[in-house]
């Protein structure tokens, strides 16, 4: 059974600081996703990582994937208040056309002024 | 706006009742996924349909069922509701572009069972 672990679960950080969220998963997968969720809202796709060593960046967020270590990271650079949200990593199933996602528990990020 | 629509947005009902949640995928998407988000279980995959056929099942209770219609919209039926079924239910649909397949999530239906 695929397990996805995120840490930390809660993260308070000051504006302009850097931090990293970690996502470990237990079995081989060919796809890893990062989503953002604002309170009471839906999930917004941030990144799709498909291969070992993949790195993607959008604004102050950068995601990377190490398939050998079964580890993905979401790095936040110079945080701003607008980044406050819950961030989920999700690992994609690889069985034929069954592509369900297994989610981590989420990291609730609060950026403090 | 992801292009995935879900109705209703909110639903309040009593234990033992039955409800139906509806989802319309993005135009052209053939796959529909249902997920449940609750405080104690987190985000869990329930079931996937692809072009009208069931493709994968996750942690879906026997009291729950789903179907996908010829126009590709999907319905999730929840019966004999219990307090613990209170949750946010998301529908997602996927675009296949080679090996890239992002799932786009709808706004969700918040179910409260009293």
């Amino acid at each position: 059974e695929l397990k996805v672990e995120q840490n930390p679960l809660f993260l308070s950080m000051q504006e302009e600081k850097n931090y990293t969220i970690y996502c470990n998963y237990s079995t081989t997968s060919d796809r890893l996703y990062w989503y953002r969720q604002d309170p009471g809202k839906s999930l917004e796709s941030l990144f799709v990582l498909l291969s070992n060593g993949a790195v993607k960046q959008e604004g102050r967020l950068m995601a990377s994937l190490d398939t050998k270590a079964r580890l993905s990271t979401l790095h936040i650079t110079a945080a701003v208040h607008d980044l406050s949200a819950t961030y989920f990593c999700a690992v994609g199933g690889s069985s034929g056309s069954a592509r369900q996602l297994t989610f981590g528990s989420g990291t609730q990020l609060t950026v403090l002024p | 706006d992801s292009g995935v629509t879900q109705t209703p947005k909110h639903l309040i009902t009593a234990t033992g009742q039955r409800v139906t949640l509806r989802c319309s995928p993005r135009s052209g998407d053939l796959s529909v996924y249902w997920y449940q988000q609750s405080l104690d279980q987190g985000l869990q995959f329930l079931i996937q349909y692809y072009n009208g056929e069931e493709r994968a099942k996750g942690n879906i209770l026997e009291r729950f069922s789903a179907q996908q219609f010829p126009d590709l919209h999907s319905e999730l039926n929840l019966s004999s509701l219990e307090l613990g079924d209170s949750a946010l239910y998301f529908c997602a649909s996927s675009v296949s572009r080679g090996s890239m397949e992002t799932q786009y999530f709808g706004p969700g239906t918040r179910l409260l069972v009293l």
Side-chain angles (χ1 to χ4, degrees):
Chain A
E1 181 190 350
L2 174 59
K3 293 190 186 300
V4 182
E5 291 187 359
Q6 270 181 255
N7 67 82
L9 298 183
F10 299 94
L11 177 56
S12 289
M13 54 190 297
Q14 300 253 312
E15 282 189 325
E16 299 302 317
K17 297 293 186 184
N18 305 332
Y19 210 81
T20 301
I21 299 171
Y22 297 89
C23 174
N24 289 91
Y25 54 99
S26 61
T27 64
T28 302
S29 172
D30 59 354
R31 292 164 299 128
L32 190 130
Y33 302 81
W34 285 95
Y35 284 88
R36 168 183 170 144
Q37 186 179 34
D38 291 299
K41 302 292 185 182
S42 186
L43 285 88
E44 174 192 356
S45 176
L46 296 174
F47 300 108
V48 181
L49 302 168
L50 299 175
S51 60
N52 188 42
V55 177
K56 290 200 173 178
Q57 183 162 5
E58 181 74 32
R60 300 172 188 271
L61 301 178
M62 183 174 70
S64 65
L65 178 62
D66 181 345
T67 58
K68 293 180 182 176
R70 294 178 188 162
L71 170 69
S72 179
T73 60
L74 181 66
H75 187 72
I76 302 153
T77 302
V80 293
H81 180 70
D82 285 351
L83 290 180
S84 296
T86 299
Y87 293 85
F88 291 93
C89 67
V91 178
S94 55
S95 170
S97 60
R99 298 288 190 170
Q100 68 269 25
L101 300 180
T102 301
F103 283 84
S105 300
T107 296
Q108 187 175 319
L109 171 65
T110 303
V111 180
L112 306 170
Chain B
D1 185 356
S2 68
V4 179
T5 60
Q6 289 186 249
T7 57
K9 287 188 178 180
H10 303 277
L11 201 46
I12 302 175
T13 188
T15 55
Q17 295 298 304
R18 173 189 167 93
V19 297
T20 297
L21 313 183
R22 184 188 167 101
C23 166
S24 292
R26 287 159 49 102
S27 177
D29 286 0
L30 298 179
S31 272
V32 169
Y33 307 79
W34 286 97
Y35 293 88
Q36 179 195 60
Q37 185 176 33
S38 61
L39 284 176
D40 54 344
Q41 299 289 331
L43 265 162
Q44 288 197 99
F45 166 71
L46 296 178
I47 196 163
Q48 178 204 2
Y49 276 81
Y50 178 79
N51 203 19
E53 293 188 2
E54 181 185 304
R55 281 305 172 98
K57 262 188 173 180
N59 297 322
I60 188 167
L61 300 171
E62 286 192 10
R63 301 183 283 109
F64 295 2
S65 64
Q67 55 184 329
Q68 186 180 27
F69 295 87
D71 67 352
L72 301 177
H73 91 271
S74 178
E75 292 180 356
L76 180 67
N77 301 297
L78 315 177
S79 61
S80 303
L81 285 166
E82 301 175 359
L83 296 177
D85 297 328
S86 296
L88 192 50
Y89 291 85
F90 286 110
C91 163
S93 69
S94 65
V95 172
S96 293
R97 293 177 184 166
S99 61
M100 283 189 65
E101 188 164 331
T102 296
Q103 291 185 20
Y104 293 91
F105 282 73
T109 293
R110 187 172 295 278
L111 173 67
L112 180 59
V113 182
L114 300 174

